[in-house]
Amino acid sequence: MTYHPVSPHDDNGPSRRTVLQGALLSGTAATFSLPTLLPLAAQASFSDELGQEPGSEMPDFSQGSAALHPDTVLTSACQFCNCNCRLRVGMKAGRVIEVRGEPADPVQAGNLCIKGPMMTELVYNRLRLTSPLKRVSGTKGDPDSRFEPVSWNEALDIVATRLLALRDQGEARAIANRTTGRQPRGTGALVHRLFRLLGSPNDTDVGPVCNDSGGNALAETFGLGYFTNGYGIDPATGKPDLESARYLLLLGTNQAETHPVTFADLLRARRRTRARLVVVDPRRTPTSVIADEWIAPKPHTDFALVLGMLHEVILKELYDKRFVDRWVLGFTELRDHLAAMEYTPEWAAKITDVPAATIRRLAVEYAKAKPAAIFCNAGISHQLNAFDTYRAIAMLAAVTGNIGTPGGGCNFMHNTWPGHLELPALTVKVPDPGPAIPVGPDAFADAILTGRPYRLRAVITEGNPLISSANSSKVRRAYAALDFYVYTGLFMEEAAYYADIILPVCSGLEFEGVYMRRDDRAIRWQEAVVPRVGRSRPDTEIWIGLAHAMARHDRHHPAGYWTDAFPEEWTDYKNLWDAFITHTPATAGMTRERMRARAEPLRWPCPTLDHPGVSTLYLDHPSWYEAAEALAPTNKGKRFLTPSGKIEIFTSDLDQKLAPTGHRALPIFYTHPEVTGAHPTLSYGREFVPNPIYPHALTHPVRLGVPGDEAVHKKFPLMGMTGRPSVAHFASLTHWAHTAQQLNGLRFVQIHPETARRNGIANGDTVVVESPRGSVGATALIDSGIRPDTVFLPNTFGPAQEVGDLFGNPRYEVANALTDDTLYDNLSGQQSYKCFACRVRKAD
């Protein structure tokens, strides 16, 4: 059936007024000041929509109170979401008494969402890990496992001896690590350095869980894998960047809940520019409620939607001919390919369930609006065709001339640090590590359990793979089978119960360093505002300490092999940062002193002290060409940092590069096999080939366009999606904060009224969601703002989250019990969290 979304202003759904009221009211539940979406000035401007008289807001009566007036105000960062807001932390007698946003930053505009003040709940929390622990009894994974406190030296000595023993057995490659976004910037560079000395290729980051695919596609198309445009005034031009957009196309991103403060900035600009806002999402969200239009395709079919738009733009000659002729390679090949494959709006309509007329109109609107900005997030990244979908989106932006221009761009959220932070070159000969296992932490489980491509025996994680990895029951079996596992974290999360050694880390308010608005490469300095909790350490210190422990126990190399590579002075982050900017030319202008003096962040790349930083990548401006050359001398004079210096839609080299993995430079449609409708899908080969996106790693080749079937839907007729529970949460960490557990400690599964009626489910019922891989519990939330063939299940809940016990919240099985780890993007490593066949029933 064709599904016609409810209007954002339908009386049966939430209005813009209720969304704004909800944002403000949720802020009042927090303990500290101003945890609202909008600052007081903006609240007043929306007073008509809030049903308030102007000036009726209650004054802040904490002002002028001697007891509540801070002794000092320090600046730190909220590290829950990718807005990475500046926090002005008020201290009284050594304690945090208030948390406010930064009013001097025009983008932040004094704003914090509900999560900002919750940073203090990671500090003042009785469940924090405060000492290194070692396992003394219990089966791995058993919540009754016993651990005892040990010194840091003992804990790191145990880790060092176990890793060195594997190396000495010729099994260095059997050691793996996965970093996470919560760490101090530069931790990954230290991990990589240690793993090079050790001889293992398997140091990975959080990107394949989050958003690496967008960056991968951007790098292959334009030359750099980062958000192309910036928020606020571009110092190079003196003009707004993203705020100058005339059209905002949001694909698979619920910005109001996932990027609330930067989204509020776009909304303020929209009141001036009247930019049209279109949201593409299978379910209604607070973002779509504010939009001019909400389009609800089937899950996992955005690729078809974009191909239909591309066909309309190119075949109807709506593209920017001058820009294409000057800057785009492969346009003719793309035009002929789209025509030959018949990727028309009518074809796309049959796959997406979006009317062809809507797809045509969307294409025309986007092509004619200048400038037009595209935003994407996990809704695209968490698809098994993520790389190819992002490439198609990049092509759409390129042919319409929306790249390298303020207010335009491909603004694909990307979690990792821009560029590589370099350290002094190693002065010793290091082992040849050989190829890495396929990228993505879900490859860990296969390598542990099957020994393919080879067995992993020791793993260190800085995140929680028991929640974040697909097919969680398989992941549990794998971590239980590991010879040696080290968990680093703030709390006894699910993964900690599988560990042999547990290392306590600092929360973001407890260390000094840099942090980044991970969307637009905007970087600031943060201060440590409170003492470290117990004996916890920042991750950077842990890895430097581990290197020194290796020096104490390595019988094959002198101590200097390790200690020269990890000087003890780097335990002071100021010295470590100095080393980074000294050896990373594109970051040389980002000194601690310069960043501390600024209320606004400084954008990367920034090669000199007088360079303004880059807001719009690929802008035809001297500041961009200077920054590009700092990234690599071979970039001199290039606008786009591809081999050709142009946007590469198709080149023979790119086509041949991708071909061994089953992909090609020109888009070939396929989707998840559990999307209803028996659409073309893919199959995976058992052999391994080099991954052209990550040349150090292996991957499985695929065959695209394999005919789909509906067999799985005979028992599991619905499509499930996972995602962020609400603005109160980010990953699993917020589930350890009291405020988040109070506001959103229940897992609500969003179900359409027709679907609920067919299954005998009423609003508020306890239900069970089942897939071919497992089942989980939730509370039914009956809502017309979702497709009848789709249910939405929030992720990040887990059975170890005991903070919720205070409120009587259930201990939930993780949502990834339902997802399939064998269905993934073989180039980026992204898992397909956004589609799984399922059914829902009332709990017995």
Side-chain angles (χ1 to χ4, degrees), residues 487-507:
Y487 166 83
T488 71
L490 292 159
F491 302 102
M492 283 293 293
E493 297 185 279
E494 291 76 11
Y497 292 98
Y498 290 80
D500 298 282
I501 295 291
I502 296 171
L503 302 177
V505 301
C506 295
S507 74

Side-chain angles (χ1 to χ4, degrees), residues 342-501:
E342 298 184 334
Y343 287 149
T344 65
E346 287 74 18
W347 164 84
K350 294 176 183 177
I351 294 170
T352 62
D353 206 18
V354 174
T358 300
I359 298 172
R360 291 185 188 279
R361 177 174 51 78
L362 187 61
V364 172
E365 287 178 0
Y366 174 76
K368 290 187 174 182
K370 288 291 184 74
I374 298 176
F375 294 81
C376 301
N377 200 341
I380 304 298
S381 301
H382 294 171
Q383 300 188 27
L384 57 73
N385 54 17
F387 175 85
D388 289 319
T389 301
Y390 275 128
R391 275 268 295 163
I393 296 169
M395 294 174 192
L396 180 64
V399 301
T400 54
N402 277 304
I403 291 297
T405 185
C410 291
N411 303 293
F412 304 162
M413 206 282 282
H414 193 205
N415 292 64
T416 52
W417 180 265
H420 297 286
L421 286 173
E422 301 291 346
L423 290 167
L426 293 172
T427 59
V428 295
K429 184 179 179 181
V430 298
D432 178 2
I437 64 171
V439 294
D442 302 292
F444 283 21
D446 261 352
I448 295 165
L449 294 172
T450 70
R452 301 188 73 248
Y454 49 82
R455 194 173 303 280
L456 289 184
R457 296 176 59 186
V459 169
I460 305 170
T461 66
E462 289 78 43
N464 184 1
L466 273 296
I467 284 184
S468 63
S469 296
N471 196 353
S472 57
S473 60
K474 177 179 176 180
V475 176
R476 283 196 294 266
R477 294 196 305 274
Y479 279 76
L482 266 176
D483 292 357
F484 186 65
Y485 174 47
V486 180
Y487 166 83
T488 71
L490 292 159
F491 302 102
M492 283 293 293
E493 297 185 279
E494 291 76 11
Y497 292 98
Y498 290 80
D500 298 282
I501 295 291

Side-chain angles (χ1 to χ4, degrees), residues 166-216:
L166 283 170
R167 184 204 65 182
D168 293 346
Q169 295 166 25
E171 291 283 344
R173 68 179 187 174
I175 303 164
N177 179 81
R178 188 191 77 176
T179 58
T180 181
R182 65 149 178 79
Q183 297 171 301
R185 298 302 97 190
T187 302
L190 295 175
V191 176
H192 181 65
R193 195 171 179 87
L194 187 142
F195 267 60
R196 285 190 66 203
L197 292 169
L198 188 60
S200 172
N202 290 311
D203 60 304
T204 68
D205 65 29
V206 72
V209 170
C210 297
N211 288 283
D212 262 6
S213 51
N216 299 148

Side-chain angles (χ1 to χ4, degrees), residues 126 735 741 799-811:
R126 65 180 180 82
H735 291 274
Q741 282 287 0
Q801 294 161 358
E802 61 180 283
V803 176
D805 296 352
L806 176 65
F807 304 102
N809 298 335
R811 302 278 196 99

